[in-house]
Each structure stands twice: as C-alpha cells, then as structure tokens.
Amino acid sequence: MGSERDGGYAEYVTAPAEQAHDVTDSPLTDDQLAALPTAYGTALGMIERGRLRRGETVLVSGASGGVGLALVQIARARGATVLAVTSRSKTDAVRAAGAHHVVDRAEDIAGQIRAAAPEGPDVALDVVAGGLVSAVLPLLREGGRWVVAGALGGYDVSFDVRRLYLHNAQLIGSSMHTPTHFGLLMDLARRAEIQPVVATAFPLDRAADAQRELARRDHVGKLVMHP
C-alpha cells in the first residue's frame, strides 16, 4: 500500500479481507502497530530466510534505520546475540532496542566484530551492502548465512568468492515478507514480544514535514502520521 497500491496517505483505505489482521487484543499502541507492516515485515522476512536460531550470533547493519532497528528487536526476541552496526550518535538508542554489542561504522568494523565475537557471526542481516560485504563476509562462521535486503552503502559489491564456497557460506537475497511471514509478525504483535520504536508522529496535513524529517535521517525509529 503506497507502492503497488494507492492509499498510503489517506484517511480511509480498502484492503482485501484476507490481508486484514485482528490485533484488537494487542497491548501495543496504535502508533506502534502502524509502524509494523513494512519495516518489521521486511526484517522478519530476512530473519526467516536466514534461518536465525536461538543461541546464534547475528550481525545487523544499518541498525538505527527502520528495518535495522526491527532486525535488532526481532533477533533479540529470537534469543540471538546481536551485534549492531550504526553511527556513534545512535549507539544508545540501538543498545536500548536490544543490541548486545554496538559497532561504530566509522571505525574498524571488522576489528570491532572480532573483538565482540571472536568466532564470527552465524548470520549477517544486511541492508547496507557496499564495502561492508567484502570487509565482513570473511568473518562468517563455517556455514554462515549473509542475507541482503538493501544497498544503502552501494550496490556494486566485490568479494573473494573462495570465502563463499570453501566455508559453505550462503548469500541470500530478501526483498519483501510473504503472507506467512506477516502472520508470524502479527503473532509477535499480539503478544507484544517486540516494541516498535516510534520517533515522532505527525497529523496527516503535515505529511510534507514528515517527509523532510525522514530525509534528514536524524531520527531513530519510525515516523507515524495520524489521519
């Protein structure tokens, strides 16, 4: 909705009944529920395709963004040890969302990951790509999974392919969530096992202000508009 289908900035919308989910009993606020569908759905799709299991170590890039913060929260709820890459100014917010270790993206990322997880991550959940792939892919454990759902750092990626096949690693693309993934997400919402972070809310007639706030990228969490 708002992409293939009109209706993102509207007071009333229609949707197929099978795509409507009853969350009446969820303890989450309306604003938190409104923040779920795209970012948290995309994040859960990445986690499901990466087969993240309890007790594994996961690396999350772009951790202060909408999808990144969702990845941190859901991975923590899954019982994983979370290493999150973000800017220094957003460290506290990312740690509050559930990250066990925060990696400063402006410093030696590989060195910080080695210090926090000497055996390397089992899974990387990546919305940045670019140079991060060549720098960190060699740190994956044997049989590790690298899941990509974005290219904030650049789409032209190079890496030593021997690292992929000699260590039985997997490179997995993930775009949107499936209806099954979204059903799992709604189950999490009903139990409040995740707490979506809302940066601020705007009335619908201030949509332009919300867009400007989004473009500045100074916020942590989602921007919500009230019809």
Side-chain angles (χ1 to χ4, degrees):
M1 187 170 291
S3 177
E4 287 74 19
R5 176 184 172 92
D6 288 343
Y9 289 0
E11 186 173 0
Y12 297 100
V13 298
T14 61
E18 64 271 15
Q19 293 182 11
H21 296 259
D22 185 357
V23 289
T24 306
D25 295 331
S26 173
L28 299 179
T29 67
D30 287 350
D31 282 7
Q32 288 177 312
L33 290 167
L36 281 172
T38 305
Y40 283 79
T42 298
L44 187 56
M46 294 174 71
I47 287 171
E48 286 291 307
R49 291 182 178 111
R51 306 184 308 284
L52 179 66
R53 297 184 292 269
R54 178 174 296 276
E56 290 190 316
T57 297
V58 59
L59 177 72
V60 176
S61 69
S64 65
V67 175
L69 210 63
L71 287 167
V72 169
Q73 290 185 315
I74 299 173
R76 178 67 184 252
R78 284 278 177 100
T81 298
V82 182
L83 282 66
V85 182
T86 190
S87 59
R88 183 173 298 177
S89 64
K90 297 178 180 177
T91 293
D92 291 343
V94 171
R95 199 181 298 278
H100 294 87
H101 306 279
V102 180
V103 175
D104 185 348
R105 71 181 187 193
E107 302 296 333
D108 176 13
I109 292 178
Q112 293 174 81
I113 293 171
R114 288 192 191 96
E119 296 183 6
D122 298 282
V123 180
L125 302 171
D126 183 20
V127 297
V128 173
L132 184 73
V133 179
S134 58
V136 182
L137 181 65
L139 303 183
L140 279 184
R141 294 188 189 190
E142 182 77 15
R145 290 89 72 196
W146 191 289
V147 185
V148 184
L152 295 172
Y155 57 82
D156 191 2
V157 173
S158 63
F159 59 89
D160 186 341
V161 73
R162 293 172 297 180
R163 179 67 203 188
L164 202 63
Y165 66 79
L166 290 176
H167 294 271
N168 301 302
Q170 298 177 50
L171 189 59
I172 302 166
S174 181
S175 56
M176 288 293 289
H177 50 278
T178 66
T180 299
H181 295 156
F182 197 78
L184 294 173
L185 180 64
M186 292 300 98
D187 288 340
L188 291 175
R190 293 184 189 98
R191 298 192 299 268
E193 291 187 16
I194 50 175
Q195 298 286 329
V197 178
V198 176
T200 189
F202 295 84
L204 186 60
D205 60 6
R206 289 184 57 203
D209 292 335
Q211 288 283 7
R212 282 187 282 268
E213 180 75 12
L214 184 67
R216 281 194 288 271
R217 297 179 65 178
D218 292 332
H219 63 287
V220 174
K222 298 295 291 181
L223 304 180
V224 173
M225 290 195 298
H226 292 166

